[in-house]
Amino acid sequence: MPDDDFVVTPWRVEGQIDYDRLIEKFGTRRIDAAMLARIEGAAGEGHFMLRRGVFFSHRDLGSILDAHAARRPFFVYTGRGPSGSTHIGHLVPWVFAKWLQDRFGVMVYFQLTDDEKFFAKRDLTLDDTHGLARENALDFVALGFDPKRTRVVIDTRHIRHLYPIAAQVAKHINFSNTRATFGFGGETNIGMIFYTSIQSAMCYIEDAPVLIPLGVDQDPHFRLTRDVAPLIGRPKPALIHNVMMPPLQGAGGKMGSSDPNSAIFTTDTPAEIRKKVNKYAFSGGRPDVAEHRRLGGNPDVDVSYQYLRMFFEPDDARLAEVREAYSSGSMLTGELKSILVERASEYLGAHQQRREEARGGLDGYMMAE
Ligand code: TRP
């Protein structure tokens, strides 16, 4: 096997990710045409993120659909490590969780890991990460989850619900295992080493099978959970993975909170979006207009097109029009960027309004203490 030129771990995503190779390396399953048809059948409709391969891989999704077919309940769980502001890459699994709640009427749990990010980030205090957790929760709630079927969990606040399960899990993960999974070294603090058991505990917050929509970088935690599950008499969590949202600059890695120029944040104004997209969004266009008109642009590497495809343009017909116009050369990069800016400003304007409205009602979504 050649050396990998990309890295995908919960704390580091670098290089141009080859998703076929990642599936092989992680040992997950691609969502193939048959599985796609099965989900769509069970849900009664499709979702553009499934259709377009934004969700591309899974573990045991079939077992969740079996449970559903047999009218046995399942629930959904996802989460966020509060290390900074929310960007649109974070919203991908949350938007999908909302769709699962709408289509299947399920409970959704949202874990905010203020402990994890305190352990992982040298310059953040626990007060910082706890504050960020509340801010990030607003973005989650703003997506319109049903308050009766949704619980937000903040690790340091709700730890008594998690700790008894985390202890069960932790007893079955040894140091060599977690070191091999995450690449820990002698300098790694012991909070990080224990942390996987806290993220695993949420899988057992209800006595039913769980489906977890997640960025594929989070898979390693649940690989460990799945190994432990039979040892503690619990079902293995089922996972559905989304690809990483590329940074504005394109070419490798992921959109990251730590580089403001790489990301579109949920709180960005239309002017900020326009400035960032115009200045940084990697273009699949040709070096000059004449050549672009003649040869057309490449939407597959164009970040503006990719953001429309992955997030901002759910309408297949409208997306196809953009693709055709850009590839044929009739649409220039500037025009494509304008479409993205317009769609993103519209989406985020509405989001920001719901986000502010969520502030007063946030406690209604919190798990009881
Ligand atoms: N560790 C995740 C992060 O850094 C947060 C998280 C906790 C999570 N539980 C999860 C993400 C379940 C996806 C699914 O963002």
Side-chain angles (χ1 to χ4, degrees):
M1 269 263 275
D3 273 346
D4 289 314
D5 41 17
F6 61 89
V7 181
V8 177
T9 78
W11 296 291
R12 203 154 71 93
V13 176
E14 277 162 25
Q16 195 75 51
I17 305 165
D18 176 335
Y19 286 102
D20 286 319
R21 250 166 72 207
L22 192 63
I23 283 176
E24 237 173 80
K25 236 167 60 165
F26 279 11
T28 69
R29 302 286 289 273
R30 182 162 286 274
I31 298 176
D32 58 14
M35 182 54 87
L36 182 62
R38 231 195 126 188
I39 311 170
E40 291 180 344
E45 68 172 32
H47 192 281
F48 73 95
M49 290 179 181
L50 277 171
R51 233 172 9 248
R52 298 179 191 167
V54 176
F55 284 87
F56 70 107
S57 156
H58 74 97
R59 293 183 190 270
D60 280 342
L61 183 53
S63 72
I64 294 294
L65 297 173
D66 291 344
H68 177 72
R71 299 181 176 279
R72 288 195 310 273
F74 70 96
F75 71 99
V76 166
Y77 150 46
T78 189
R80 156 90 178 121
S83 56
S85 305
T86 307
H87 59 59
I88 59 164
H90 298 128
L91 296 184
V92 169
W94 311 353
V95 164
F96 194 69
K98 161 76 164 85
W99 180 75
L100 289 170
Q101 181 172 73
D102 289 347
R103 304 313 305 173
F104 295 96
V106 288
M107 278 298 296
V108 173
Y109 289 84
F110 184 61
Q111 179 181 36
L112 287 150
T113 60
D114 55 345
D115 53 346
E116 175 196 10
K117 292 300 161 176
F118 169 61
F119 295 142
K121 303 277 174 178
R122 191 183 299 271
D123 50 344
L124 291 181
T125 67
L126 201 48
D127 276 348
D128 292 337
T129 58
H130 197 82
L132 286 166
R134 293 188 67 91
E135 284 298 308
N136 293 170
L138 297 176
D139 287 300
F140 181 80
V141 168
L143 298 177
F145 288 92
D146 172 359
K148 290 190 288 299
R149 289 190 175 134
T150 308
R151 291 290 172 272
V152 174
V153 173
I154 303 183
D155 284 352
T156 61
R157 178 167 167 189
H158 297 104
I159 191 63
R160 78 179 179 88
H161 297 285
L162 301 176
Y163 197 68
I165 319 171
Q168 301 282 327
V169 173
K171 193 167 183 173
H172 294 282
I173 302 177
N174 62 36
F175 180 54
S176 347
N177 215 334
T178 186
R179 182 178 49 196
T181 304
F182 300 112
F184 292 154
E187 76 295 344
T188 305
N189 69 62
I190 64 172
M192 295 284 283
I193 294 163
F194 181 74
Y195 168 72
T196 291
S197 56
I198 302 284
Q199 184 156 326
S200 300
M202 285 291 295
C203 299
Y204 305 114
I205 202 83
E206 280 201 7
D207 190 15
V210 66
L211 173 61
I212 308 173
L214 74 174
V216 69
D217 60 332
Q218 293 296 315
D219 182 79
H221 287 296
F222 297 109
R223 223 140 68 208
L224 290 175
T225 317
R226 286 167 54 86
D227 288 346
V228 168
L231 305 174
I232 61 172
R234 301 280 197 156
K236 294 184 178 193
L239 313 177
I240 181 161
H241 307 100
N242 62 266
V243 300
M244 309 317 297
M245 185 71 73
L248 273 163
Q249 291 78 358
K254 63 166 183 174
M255 193 176 267
S257 310
S258 49
D259 177 4
N261 293 333
S262 78
I264 296 180
F265 294 101
T266 59
T267 49
D268 282 349
T269 63
E272 285 168 323
I273 297 168
R274 182 169 298 280
K275 197 169 140 208
K276 269 193 260 194
V277 169
N278 285 342
K279 186 157 178 198
Y280 298 110
F282 184 82
S283 160
R286 302 286 172 174
D288 63 68
V289 173
E291 204 181 319
H292 188 92
R293 293 279 187 224
R294 191 156 44 86
L295 298 172
N298 180 358
D300 296 324
V301 301
D302 189 285
V303 168
S304 302
Y305 178 80
Q306 291 305 317
Y307 289 0
L308 289 170
R309 183 183 73 83
M310 295 173 71
F311 197 81
F312 288 116
E313 185 48 270
D315 185 315
D316 288 345
R318 281 165 71 176
L319 186 72
E321 269 172 39
V322 172
R323 187 182 180 89
E324 165 55 29
Y326 195 60
S327 321
S328 71
S330 69
M331 182 185 284
L332 300 175
T333 293
E335 295 169 306
L336 175 54
K337 287 191 173 191
S338 287
I339 293 175
L340 173 64
V341 170
E342 210 174 286
R343 301 290 289 123
S345 302
E346 201 182 304
Y347 180 98
L348 292 177
H351 180 86
Q352 285 158 15
Q353 205 169 339
R354 292 191 306 267
R355 190 180 186 280
E356 284 315 305
E357 285 161 16
R359 238 173 239 288
L362 191 55
D363 279 331
Y365 284 86
M366 290 285 168
M367 189 160 189
E369 277 177 66

